[in-house]
Amino acid sequence: MTYSGYNAATPSTPGHVFEVRENGSAPGSGIFTNLNVEAGASTYPTPTNDGDLPVSDVVRDDAAQTLYVSTDFGVLRGDADGTGGWHVTAGMPRYEVMHLEIQPSSRVPTCKGGTGPCRRVLYAATHSRGIWQMVLGN
């Protein structure tokens, strides 16, 4: 789950990327864990230089157990499902990125079998700067 606002608007619950686990059936009974994307966002010139950077999208590379998040300043990579630290994603734009998608995905059947596994590609859609792609490996 992502939050696209600033921590100043939610000072009692800061954060932008959360792991959410069910904790009963009552509304609001989930457990929210802040994955601290702010640590990786510190490389970007955020308004208050504290990593307080809204996140607009998140995707998971299931094969590598890696999260990618899009921000107003580029794409961050979170190893070990976001618990292994956050890093600027080399090869991705340093612009506002509004949408991310990984292909092929278990949710979107776009690649059919051939002579081997389909290449995994991360796509980033920017605002007025085009679409970028990066091969994620096999």
Side-chain angles (χ1 to χ4, degrees):
M1 176 179 145
T2 66
Y3 174 62
S4 180
Y6 288 100
N7 286 336
T10 58
S12 63
T13 55
H16 297 285
V17 178
F18 300 88
E19 176 184 57
V20 182
R21 300 226 177 223
E22 187 176 337
N23 188 32
S25 59
S29 63
I31 297 173
F32 289 70
T33 303
N34 183 357
L35 294 178
N36 196 22
V37 72
E38 292 82 3
S42 63
T43 60
Y44 293 132
T46 60
T48 56
N49 291 322
D50 63 356
D52 189 4
L53 184 62
V55 172
S56 55
D57 203 2
V58 62
V59 295
R60 182 176 191 260
D61 180 353
D62 297 335
Q65 297 179 343
T66 302
L67 296 179
Y68 293 91
V69 298
S70 61
T71 73
D72 289 352
F73 294 96
V75 179
L76 294 172
R77 181 188 84 237
D79 300 325
D81 284 332
T83 63
W86 292 91
H87 316 279
V88 173
T89 305
M92 285 280 103
R94 296 292 294 259
Y95 310 111
E96 177 185 12
V97 177
M98 298 306 299
H99 178 68
L100 295 171
E101 188 165 323
I102 293 179
Q103 295 293 329
S105 144
S106 60
R107 294 167 298 281
V108 183
T110 58
C111 188
K112 304 230 185 231
T115 59
C118 301
R119 290 183 348 165
R120 291 186 339 274
V121 178
L122 173 67
Y123 293 95
T126 65
H127 185 69
S128 303
R129 301 285 182 171
I131 295 176
W132 295 60
Q133 69 177 18
M134 180 179 74
V135 176
L136 295 176
N138 295 328

